[in-house]
Amino acid sequence: MSATTPNSGPPGPRRWLGLLVAVALVSGGVVYTVEQREQDADARATATQTVSPAPPKSTKPSRIAAAVAARRVAIDTILIRRAQAVQTGNEALFLADLDPANKKLRAAQKILFANLVEIGFTELGYSQAEERFNPSVLKAHGSTTYLVRILMRYQIPKVDFTPVTTELGYTFIARGGRWLLTADNELDEDLGPGAHREAWDLGRIEVQRGPRVLVVVEKGDTTRGRAIATEAAEGLHEVSTYWPLKWTGSVFVIALDETEVRDAKFADEDIESAASTGTTFSSLPGQDTADGTVAGGYVVINPNERDRVDEILLSHEITHVATADLGGYEPLWLAEGAAEYVSWRGIEAVSGPGEVAKWEQEVVDDAVPQLTSLPSDAGFYQNSADVYGVSWLAVRFLVQRIGLGQVEELYEDMARNGTDQASRDRILLSRTGLTEATLWTSLTTYRPQR
Ligand SMILES: [Zn+2]
């Protein structure tokens, strides 16, 4: 059954903790002097494998600073123009600053433009973060090369409660006295997880809309897009029925013929997953804080599972989406247990209590004996034991002990404040009278009530 297929949970801040040091070095609109630039480049060298070119000794630093400032203004102007082009549906304006020599880029940018217009952002803006140095990019494009990390800040109506940020890397060159965008993929490997792999970055899409649902599929994949939108609406209904949190958002589901979308990797680490919910950030990890600020989540469907998407699977993922913006610090056993709790309540409503009782007994008999404690965050998704089943059992047990409303409040408290083990222990103990250790002991002696 799809609900028992391991689904990747909300990556949350946890997956980002090991993020490249480079991301922490944000210039935020500061005009770099050559000296600053060198220092920063040295600091980044370990992460980006690049070096700063030596400053031209014959030129006065003030002239270089002036040139850098002029370049910043020129690039800002291009970025503003491109955002305006999307908001006014003006393709010619969007393509106006592309390098005419790069025909492939032009074709790809036409598709990108059509996709961005189809999504229909209420807010869209691009800004320059810091310059990056890469000898091979410099060699390919010449001495005027300007490789820069770009922050794309956008808001999809109803889906994003606040503007969110994603990263890009653009290569500009100066030719005939003006700046041109000549590549948009030369920094991809040095960006954070899932950068430049957003729903609109991967080929021509179409958007299917329902009440509180937005589904992105390949252009022409209309029937499947509509079917997924229907299932998502039902999954959303289950979440609002079985999870007490009042969530009013819309669900963004991406179902493309791609194994890597955002930070989902269905070709390797997420290969067993039918779907995964990845985090959106109002402030990226490293931008203002190490963990970033979580804004919400988007659902990505495994391309091989697109025909098997049902409301049971989606109710699991939508539970993650509905709880994503609470903070993301809840333990994974609670996040996955709550998502499984909601989807199994949906199964129970359809097929009666028999199947749930049978499954619960299997978890008690087979899964619990394989573990010696509640599954920890570390290695959760790599664990070969049925950590989803055990997490589900833990939430079932807590619902029986303190009631669903109290479990939901426990979840919110954990998501907001469970930043370390001591905080998690304190929250769990004060709200349930149990520690993780005594909760585990309770599960090992738990006999489901019939
Ligand atoms: Zn999950």
Side-chain angles (χ1 to χ4, degrees), residues 70-125:
R71 181 182 66 193
R72 175 160 285 277
V73 170
I75 301 303
D76 275 346
T77 307
I78 291 174
L79 296 176
I80 290 167
R81 199 149 48 216
R82 283 167 60 84
Q84 278 176 346
V86 173
Q87 298 300 50
T88 56
N90 186 340
E91 187 192 60
L93 190 65
F94 191 78
L95 305 175
D97 298 295
L98 298 183
D99 178 1
N102 190 341
K103 298 276 186 280
K104 266 188 166 173
L105 178 67
R106 188 181 171 82
Q109 290 276 312
K110 278 186 159 189
I111 292 170
L112 172 64
F113 172 79
N115 288 347
L116 294 174
V117 169
E118 180 144 357
I119 296 274
F121 299 96
T122 38
E123 180 175 327
L124 178 64

Side-chain angles (χ1 to χ4, degrees), residues 92-234:
L93 190 65
F94 191 78
L95 305 175
D97 298 295
L98 298 183
D99 178 1
N102 190 341
K103 298 276 186 280
K104 266 188 166 173
L105 178 67
R106 188 181 171 82
Q109 290 276 312
K110 278 186 159 189
I111 292 170
L112 172 64
F113 172 79
N115 288 347
L116 294 174
V117 169
E118 180 144 357
I119 296 274
F121 299 96
T122 38
E123 180 175 327
L124 178 64
Y126 300 89
S127 62
Q128 299 173 70
E130 75 287 351
E131 183 175 9
R132 296 289 184 94
F133 300 94
N134 183 319
S136 62
V137 173
L138 185 66
K139 199 176 166 198
H141 302 292
S143 62
T144 66
T145 302
Y146 177 51
L147 177 65
V148 59
R149 190 168 69 94
I150 298 287
L151 299 178
M152 174 183 173
R153 191 159 175 81
Y154 67 87
Q155 186 168 14
I156 301 172
K158 296 179 182 147
V159 169
D160 304 309
F161 285 139
T162 60
V164 296
T165 301
T166 188
E167 290 179 294
L168 295 163
Y170 284 171
T171 313
F172 293 93
I173 50 166
R175 195 179 290 153
R178 61 179 292 219
W179 287 96
L180 298 168
L181 176 63
T182 194
D184 67 352
N185 58 1
E186 292 176 334
L187 194 57
D188 287 1
E189 286 178 11
D190 290 327
L191 298 173
H196 201 203
R197 307 284 309 168
E198 296 287 350
W200 45 84
D201 288 323
L202 304 167
R204 188 72 176 97
I205 55 167
E206 73 176 48
V207 179
Q208 289 297 330
R209 294 165 204 272
R212 300 184 63 193
V213 173
L214 210 69
V215 178
V216 163
V217 289
E218 310 279 336
K219 184 78 178 170
D221 200 9
T222 310
T223 306
R224 179 150 53 193
R226 285 185 185 147
I228 293 174
T230 302
E231 298 296 326
E234 287 172 15

Side-chain angles (χ1 to χ4, degrees), residues 32-59:
Y32 272 18
T33 66
V34 170
E35 287 76 12
Q36 284 174 326
R37 207 169 69 168
E38 273 195 313
Q39 285 167 9
D40 284 7
D42 287 343
R44 279 193 298 271
T46 47
T48 59
Q49 307 289 315
T50 60
V51 291
S52 167
K57 295 275 188 311
S58 58
T59 317

Side-chain angles (χ1 to χ4, degrees), residues 346-392:
I347 295 168
E348 196 170 9
V350 172
S351 56
E355 198 173 340
V356 176
K358 186 165 158 275
W359 178 241
E360 189 173 38
Q361 198 59 52
E362 278 179 38
V363 173
V364 168
D365 293 342
D366 303 336
V368 171
Q370 286 183 37
L371 295 172
T372 54
S373 65
L374 278 178
S376 62
D377 289 0
F380 188 97
Y381 296 113
Q382 288 75 42
N383 200 322
S384 59
D386 183 14
V387 290
Y388 283 82
V390 171
S391 300
W392 172 65

